[in-house]
Amino acid sequence: MILGVTGSIGSGKTTVAKFFSKHWYSRIDADWIGHEILKKDKKIQKEMVRNFGSGILDKNRNIARQKLGNAVFSDKNKLKKLNSIMHPLIIKEIKNHIKKIRAKCGKNARIIIDAPLLLETEAKNLVDKVIVVKCDEKNIFKRNKKFTMQQTERILNTQMPLKKKLKQADFVIDNNKDLNDLEKQVENIVQKLNQK
């Protein structure tokens, strides 16, 4: 069983995926995979600089994700370009992770893929069920410590609208309360899946 968890930026996808880990789901983090590719793949680093300029580099000549984000999230064409480079690589890596998990845990291994752009990419074809985490914008802004309000707003504007995501959901998790409530919702989904 492969689950995909998605939602808007700062909605709590990763927290939800971590709660699934408590129920023996192996977590694959698409964001982390993307970061690792940018950090380690010299060819991709060169391609990024070629497409988005040396302004995306930090003082050690590594890609600064915040600078890259600032460069692409305000320009639809640049974002499209970034996605066309990164998505195939991330999906290939997700498939490798799935293979490794199944080799270790058997073909019926429980896997959860934590992917912000699950429904916008080919990644949706890898999952059996889609979980969408929804969260009010005021809570997204309040909880999101990684980006400024402006940056968060810019990213939200580039993502698939929540309404559209909810239409493709097999399960919806409402993350507007506390962590206990969130964990209970995860447990309910796990129970439903175990009954099938």
Side-chain angles (χ1 to χ4, degrees):
M1 169 66 72
I2 301 181
L3 305 178
V5 63
T6 192
S8 306
I9 177 179
S11 58
K13 302 175 295 294
T14 301
T15 307
V16 164
K18 283 177 180 169
F19 281 143
F20 272 95
S21 300
K22 291 183 175 184
H23 299 276
W24 312 106
Y25 279 84
S26 300
R27 184 169 73 95
I28 298 173
D29 183 340
D31 262 355
W32 180 83
I33 289 171
H35 301 164
E36 287 297 292
I37 291 168
L38 286 176
K39 209 161 69 180
K40 293 177 178 168
D41 191 325
K42 296 291 176 217
K43 209 171 84 187
I44 292 301
Q45 288 169 0
K46 279 180 187 154
E47 198 169 343
M48 289 293 157
V49 173
R50 202 171 58 238
N51 281 288
F52 308 113
S54 56
I56 63 168
L57 298 173
D58 63 18
K59 60 180 189 296
N60 301 318
R61 309 288 298 158
N62 295 318
I63 290 170
R65 282 186 15 250
Q66 198 127 20
K67 287 180 177 180
L68 178 62
N70 288 338
V72 300
F73 283 118
S74 50
D75 183 324
K76 276 205 168 100
N77 291 328
K78 283 182 180 174
L79 182 61
K80 221 173 172 174
K81 183 67 187 165
L82 175 71
N83 289 342
S84 73
I85 298 166
M86 291 301 292
H87 287 170
L89 298 171
I90 292 170
I91 286 162
K92 188 179 164 197
E93 217 27 62
I94 288 172
K95 286 177 179 172
N96 286 340
H97 280 269
I98 292 170
K99 259 191 213 139
K100 280 179 197 161
I101 293 164
R102 284 183 167 158
K104 193 176 151 191
C105 308
K107 67 178 194 319
N108 295 325
R110 296 174 171 197
I111 298 168
I112 187 154
I113 301 171
D114 171 2
L117 298 178
L118 179 80
L119 299 172
E120 292 92 325
T121 64
E122 294 300 306
K124 65 176 175 286
N125 302 328
L126 303 175
V127 305
D128 302 306
K129 299 279 179 202
V130 172
I131 299 164
V132 174
V133 183
K134 65 174 187 165
C135 184
D136 294 344
E137 273 192 18
K138 68 173 197 298
N139 285 328
I140 286 174
F141 290 127
K142 200 164 72 182
R143 293 171 183 164
N144 205 346
K145 306 279 183 267
K146 232 180 1 187
F147 300 101
T148 65
M149 202 164 164
Q150 254 178 330
Q151 287 169 320
T152 304
E153 216 161 329
R154 271 211 306 252
I155 295 168
L156 276 171
N157 289 334
T158 65
Q159 293 184 334
M160 183 191 282
L162 182 63
K163 267 185 186 160
K164 227 171 155 184
K165 284 182 178 170
L166 291 170
K167 281 183 184 154
Q168 298 182 59
D170 295 291
F171 298 101
V172 176
I173 288 180
D174 186 331
N175 186 17
N176 284 303
K177 293 183 185 162
D178 57 17
L179 286 174
N180 283 340
D181 180 71
L182 197 63
E183 192 160 13
K184 276 192 189 112
Q185 290 181 71
V186 168
E187 281 167 9
N188 287 340
I189 292 172
V190 169
Q191 277 170 359
K192 279 178 188 161
L193 291 169
N194 287 347
Q195 282 161 11
K196 285 181 180 172

